[in-house]
Amino acid sequence: GENVEQHPSTLSVQEGDSAVIKCTYSDSASNYFPWYKQELGKGPQLIIDIRSNVGEKKDQRIAVTLNKTAKHFSLHITETQPEDSAVYFCAGAWTGGGADGLTFGKGTHLIIQP
Amino acid sequence: SQTIHQWPATLVQPVGSPLSLECTVEGTSNPNLYWYRQAAGRGLQLLFYSVGIGQISSEVPQNLSASRPQDRQFILSSKKLLLSDSGFYLCAWSAFGDEQYFGPGTRLTVT
């Protein structure tokens, strides 16, 4: 089945600096790659996603890039703020556009140091 | 707008007791529905998904079952809980199978 590897497991950055989280996948048929932010004790929140026909997508301070050849995609957060501290998950979907569910990475705990 | 509800929010149950977790979605029709489990410090594991009433697909063999008695209701059940069933249970919905939106979750502790 599909496998999604996520790195690093923990990332600490100074407030105002940028953060980058990377994920790789094994199934080249994957066509949809969302990113979720999860705060303690809450459900994951969809923050940005990208489809396989696009190389980059931006939404204010966050951006996602996709390299289909290398089978990896990354989340970029610029000008980090304390409220960006959370666990971030990447995911992939390949069957039916995700109707069968998503496969998640193990998560990255992002810590923003004041 | 669409909203998704889960209850209870927290639950402490003894080993061997039954389980029923409920998820309901408002503001949409015929959603795809999903149950995920999140163990402490780990990612999300897909347990079940449903594309319609009475249609349930299971992703992993386990002590749990799911049912969809109504279009926007998804229930996760067990006849006898195990210690290993402890975790954070998340329900999610999607309209066309891509973007999935999660509920607030149920924290289950089996003692």
Side-chain angles (χ1 to χ4, degrees):
Chain A
E2 178 60 54
N3 187 44
V4 178
E5 298 284 339
Q6 183 171 348
H7 300 279
S9 57
T10 303
L11 178 61
S12 181
V13 301
Q14 290 294 122
E15 181 179 350
D17 288 350
S18 296
V20 180
I21 302 170
K22 299 181 179 179
C23 288
T24 59
Y25 59 97
S26 56
D27 187 342
S28 58
S30 298
N31 54 22
Y32 174 66
F33 306 93
W35 285 89
Y36 287 85
K37 175 184 180 182
Q38 186 177 29
E39 297 176 342
L40 191 62
K42 297 183 178 181
Q45 176 189 7
L46 178 65
I47 56 172
I48 195 167
D49 55 17
I50 193 167
R51 301 181 191 279
S52 58
N53 59 347
V54 176
E56 182 177 2
K57 183 176 179 180
K58 294 182 72 173
D59 183 3
Q60 300 182 341
R61 294 187 299 109
I62 61 173
V64 57
T65 58
L66 171 65
N67 184 325
K68 289 178 58 181
T69 302
K71 296 183 192 174
H72 69 72
F73 56 112
S74 301
L75 177 71
H76 306 254
I77 305 175
T78 59
E79 301 173 16
T80 53
Q81 301 170 3
E83 54 265 34
D84 294 330
S85 293
V87 179
Y88 291 80
F89 292 96
C90 64
W94 60 98
T95 305
D100 297 349
L102 300 170
T103 296
F104 284 82
K106 289 190 180 335
T108 296
H109 186 192
L110 177 61
I111 302 166
I112 308 301
Q113 303 279 6
Chain B
S1 64
Q2 299 85 8
T3 55
I4 179 169
H5 304 278
Q6 287 186 246
W7 61 88
T10 59
L11 190 60
V12 180
Q13 292 283 94
V15 169
S17 64
L19 173 73
S20 181
L21 303 181
E22 190 166 343
C23 170
T24 59
V25 181
E26 296 177 354
T28 187
S29 296
N30 196 31
N32 293 334
L33 296 173
Y34 309 85
W35 278 112
Y36 290 86
R37 176 169 59 200
Q38 186 175 31
R42 300 184 66 179
L44 287 77
Q45 179 188 31
L46 178 65
L47 301 176
F48 300 96
Y49 68 93
S50 171
V51 298
I53 296 174
Q55 300 178 60
I56 309 294
S57 296
S58 174
E59 287 296 299
V60 293
Q62 58 214 324
N63 185 42
L64 303 168
S65 62
S67 63
R68 184 169 178 175
Q70 299 180 43
D71 180 46
R72 289 170 290 177
Q73 184 184 32
F74 206 22
I75 296 172
L76 184 69
S77 304
S78 174
K79 293 182 179 178
K80 290 186 178 182
L81 283 168
L82 306 172
L83 284 174
S84 58
D85 291 323
S86 293
F88 194 42
Y89 287 83
L90 290 155
C91 181
W93 73 274
S94 69
F96 303 109
D98 277 351
E99 299 171 3
Q100 291 189 19
Y101 299 94
F102 285 84
T106 294
R107 174 74 59 192
L108 172 65
T109 303
V110 182
T111 60

